[in-house]
Amino acid sequence: MFNKLCIIGVGLIGGSVARAARKNKLCATVSAYGREQDLENLQRAQDLKVIDSYSLDLAEAIAGADCVVIATPVGAMQDILKQLAANWSEQTLYMDVGSTKGHVVIALNEVFGFLPGNFVPAHPIAGAEKSGVDAAMDDLFLGRRLILTPDKQADKAFVQLATEFWQGLGSHIAFMQVEQHDAILAATSHLPHVLAFALVSVLGKNDEKVETLKYASGGFKDFTRIASSDPTMWLDICMANKQHIIPLIEQLSSELDAVKLMLEANQSQQLHDTFTYARNTRERFLEQHNNMTQSITFTVQPGGHLQGQVRLPGDKSISHRSIMLGSIAEGVTHVSGFLEGDDALATLRAFQAMGVKIEGPDKGEVTIHGVGLDGLQAPEEPIYLGNSGTSMRLLCGLLAGQKFDATLTGDASLSGRPMRRVIDPLSIMGAKIESTEKGTAPLTIRGQKSLQGIHYDMPIASAQVKSCLMLAGLYAQGETSVTEPAPTRDHTERMLSGFAHPVKQSDNLVTVSRQGALKATDIDVPSDISSAAFFLVGASIAPDSDLTLKHVGINPTRTGVIDILRLMGANIELMNERTVGGEPVADIRVRSADLKGIAIPEEFVALAIDEFPVLFVAAACATGQTVLTGAKELRVKESDRIQVMADGLQILGVDAQPTEDGMVIQGGAIGGGSVISHGDHRIAMAFSMAALRATDTIVIQDCENVNTSFPGFAELTEGLGLNISAQES
Ligand code: S3P
């Protein structure tokens, strides 16, 4: 991959990068730079064959290097960059591996006056309390998270190169913004280090007076392991990220003060609650951590076709709403066809945490023992919603009308998604919702607020915002009405009617008010047209395909994908159309067709909002040019779907040009390559389908979140003719 890799600072991390790069044959030679005082260490690195050569002269060390990794303590960054700037090469990939990223951006700006496109900040979430080159390991990054925080202006080719390099070392790549990275790391890594150092200092001072530590055992050793870390390195990290660390120290101090007061006042119940809360939180962390560190890669061989008949998993939007409305209804609601994906399960667990008895899911069957509009109970802990935007936004509305406070959290993707779109109108209704400064999760929704109905003219076409306000409207005084700039999915409206709760609808206006109890009902969830979309495209683009998708929801607010594909020339037939539980359903037959590029009419955007990743794949296989406009919302979905799809398609050799609110794609051949889904389920599944028309293997990284909407995707799709395999690591 590289001819010459140069490591600046050959300690534990720098040495491990060198060792791992050599082991994985990612570079021909490794050079290193260090200062006078590092001479012995550099010599040792050479003796250990971690590096081939070194120099005390930076220019000499980096001469001819096509990849430079800065692995010095964070505080040395500016100085190193100044020296590098004098010998900067536009052809070289530069990366740092520091634990804070804000300081890198500051240093780059100071030295260059801008952020060079070929600098990609990287942070391997890996380490050991040992330091120095002797501790360097060639598998330090294997199976570990690696966070990249490239600037928006960064050169895509270099970001891809960086990605492939770290993947080559075995890391799972995640992308984050600098600020988000530093805030998260302050809480999860920097504060624990500060605490470990402080605790050991206290005990050390005591030990000088009375021998104490010789009686310490496993608990002390486990808790303080990280206090053996390199003090210079941690001094630098703490100074560089103090703006995030100090508020956390203050929070910790008041928690300790609270514990002290509980002890003084013999408040054993409170103390017990505090300890229980912490223990439960840790257990939840361990569970999530195990899921998170598991990474799934899809490898899809080129060619194949899709044939047969299949019933796909249940509709995600309807599954969420079935739990929400079933929980606040009176009586027992039976749901069949429930989507057992992580997103809908997050909603199910949230209501269980608020005291609702929910049985299942068992083969899609769920029984909800509704508690009535005012029967929910305060959750004991923050509610973790994983990747699910629908859970978070709809719950905001529903929780705004409760008597209790609740906090909603989510994974890195959900924590970066805009929530002001619900916070703002809910606040006008009288709700009190606390968020981060950027208007993102965690969100704390304060209870005991009396809500007032409003009329809201929605600036964006969002079913989540509309549904959120309708749910809040069930708890507000007077009428709550929403107008939408374009039609969006109306499952909340339909389901409320199914629960015998009146909803007024005219043109683009929907109105609700509190009108007695919701009455439990039975819900038959159809297959999700958003999941069907992958097969509509897959069977259209793959020669000799003939596939029938059974019992798919064809609510007209969701069928934009069919309209768009038909405009492109697809052969899609709706059969056996019927209405099931208030939702229109059909069997859909799709056969191969020659697609042609089109200008996608903007009126279809909201009606196909989740289907664009796979529609871009259809466009890549079509003859001629496809243009999408008016779809800016795609930038704030589970990932920035415009950028991520354009990047991936370009890797596969497709001419795909992202625009601010859409994409321009020239249809043609699809090659092979390794693409990243950025943890976005629909990106992962879209690229899987691209393989049907690719000339070479497509590898898709980061596919674990396919489980959010389509558990069993790889197995099911393989059965229909796609040559796909999923590997866990
Ligand atoms: C959804 C609405 C849409 C969609 C999401 C599910 C819903 O989001 O993208 O996957 O169930 O209401 P927006 O309302 O943000 O467009």
Side-chain angles (χ1 to χ4, degrees), residues 316-317 320-321 390 393-394 417 421 461-465 467 489 491 609-610 633 637-638 641 682:
K316 186 150 78 76
S317 295
H320 281 301
R321 287 157 172 85
T390 307
R393 295 205 178 111
L394 268 58
R417 295 184 66 185
R421 56 182 61 195
S462 166
Q464 292 180 350
V465 175
S467 303
R489 64 193 71 193
H491 305 301
I609 192 68
D610 291 334
E633 271 296 296
K637 293 292 178 187
E638 286 83 328
R641 288 183 174 161
R682 301 205 195 278

Side-chain angles (χ1 to χ4, degrees), residues 225-247:
R225 178 178 65 79
I226 49 181
S228 298
S229 306
D230 181 1
T232 315
M233 184 173 112
W234 281 96
L235 161 72
D236 281 4
I237 292 171
C238 290
M239 294 303 272
N241 203 21
K242 62 178 167 191
Q243 103 210 54
H244 289 113
I245 299 172
I246 291 170

Side-chain angles (χ1 to χ4, degrees), residues 86-117:
N87 303 281
W88 197 255
S89 157
E90 295 301 336
Q91 273 72 54
T92 300
L93 167 65
Y94 296 87
M95 294 185 281
D96 77 301
V97 289
S99 295
T100 66
K101 290 291 164 244
H103 82 284
V104 181
V105 172
I106 294 171
L108 284 166
N109 271 321
E110 294 253 321
V111 173
F112 294 90
F114 61 93
L115 301 177

